[in-house]
Amino acid sequence: GIQVEQSPPDLILQEGANSTLRCNFSDSVNNLQWFHQNPWGQLINLFYIPSGTKQNGRLSATTVATERYSLLYISSSQTTDSGVYFCAVRPFMEYGNKLVFGAGTILRVKS
Amino acid sequence: EAQVTQNPRYLITVTGKKLTVTCSQNMNHEYMSWYRQDPGLGLRQIYYSMNVEVTDKGDVPEGYKVSRKEKRNFPLILESPSPNQTSLYFCASSLLGRGGTEAFFGQGTRLTVV
């Protein structure tokens, strides 16, 4: 099946710093989403981005589907950005809408 | 507000005592599914449903049942819970489309089986 790899696995930032999280996937996809899991365990939708670039406040994401990767940019990080960031994809030939998740990037923002 | 609602958020139960985790969505989505999240194993799909009365197994279905009698509801049933079902559970819904559609997740249910 499709492999989804996220890097880095862990990241510690000082408040105000910028960061880039990466998601590589091993096969064609027709859905890619970024999620933030907060300390209470909730999965928050950040972006639905099967291709192209989107921005939402301090966050932006770019997916280059032909090269099978996506990037999540966090600018001017805040302590509330701490948590785990997941990339999830729907394989192109997969029946149904099952999402395959990466292992996540654990982000800690220090004040 | 468009949302997926799970209940309860937290549950501690004893081995063998049947329980149901409810899931409801208000977006008229055809596709609904359940995932469990475990340390080191990530999120894995338990069961899914393509529409009313259409359900199928995901990657880790053992010990679980589901039903889809109405489009908005997709309960997860553990008929005889065991400690290895202690986990964080998520319900998700999306439109069913060939091109892929955005999935929305519930708030999660943290289940402990003792």
Side-chain angles (χ1 to χ4, degrees):
Chain A
I2 194 169
Q3 303 298 311
V4 182
E5 296 182 352
Q6 291 186 241
S7 60
D10 282 280
L11 186 58
I12 301 174
L13 296 176
Q14 199 65 36
E15 199 169 26
N18 303 327
S19 63
T20 301
L21 281 55
R22 187 176 180 103
C23 172
N24 292 334
F25 41 96
S26 61
D27 210 339
S28 299
V29 300
N30 57 16
N31 179 0
L32 188 144
Q33 292 185 240
W34 284 97
F35 296 91
H36 174 216
Q37 187 166 39
N38 64 23
W40 295 271
Q42 294 175 302
L43 279 175
I44 310 299
N45 282 39
L46 296 178
F47 294 101
Y48 168 65
I49 188 165
S51 63
T53 297
K54 289 186 177 179
Q55 179 152 10
N56 184 3
R58 296 181 296 103
L59 301 182
S60 64
T62 295
T63 297
V64 184
T66 53
E67 297 187 21
R68 299 180 184 169
Y69 74 89
S70 183
L71 302 173
L72 177 69
Y73 306 95
I74 304 174
S75 65
S76 304
S77 59
Q78 301 175 358
T79 55
T80 52
D81 294 331
S82 296
V84 185
Y85 289 80
F86 289 103
C87 166
V89 303
R90 176 194 170 190
F92 186 72
M93 296 302 291
E94 186 83 12
Y95 179 70
N97 281 6
K98 184 179 88 171
L99 288 176
V100 178
F101 282 78
T105 292
I106 301 172
L107 174 63
R108 286 175 264 253
V109 181
K110 295 187 170 183
S111 58
Chain B
E1 180 189 354
Q3 60 185 4
V4 179
T5 303
Q6 291 178 230
N7 280 296
R9 292 286 314 279
Y10 302 92
L11 180 60
I12 301 175
T13 190
V14 296
T15 299
K17 185 176 181 182
K18 181 179 179 180
L19 66 91
T20 299
V21 184
T22 64
C23 174
S24 181
Q25 51 92 6
N26 63 0
M27 295 169 279
N28 203 34
H29 286 168
E30 299 93 354
Y31 189 88
M32 296 185 74
S33 59
W34 280 98
Y35 294 81
R36 62 177 287 174
Q37 183 181 18
D38 302 290
L41 297 174
L43 282 95
R44 297 173 292 168
Q45 191 183 57
I46 303 170
Y47 265 95
Y48 66 92
S49 170
M50 306 279 271
N51 215 322
V52 175
E53 302 291 1
V54 181
T55 63
D56 208 345
K57 297 176 181 178
D59 298 320
V60 287
E62 293 77 21
Y64 304 95
K65 284 178 59 176
V66 293
S67 69
R68 188 91 181 272
K69 296 184 177 2
E70 304 166 285
K71 196 172 186 179
R72 64 185 293 122
N73 296 324
F74 190 46
L76 180 69
I77 303 156
L78 286 72
E79 295 214 321
S80 184
S82 62
N84 65 11
Q85 293 178 296
T86 293
S87 187
L88 178 57
Y89 291 86
F90 290 99
C91 178
S93 76
S94 59
L95 290 170
L96 197 59
R98 292 181 65 184
T101 61
E102 185 175 8
F104 295 85
F105 282 73
Q107 318 95 303
T109 295
R110 199 171 293 274
L111 172 66
T112 302
V113 183
V114 298

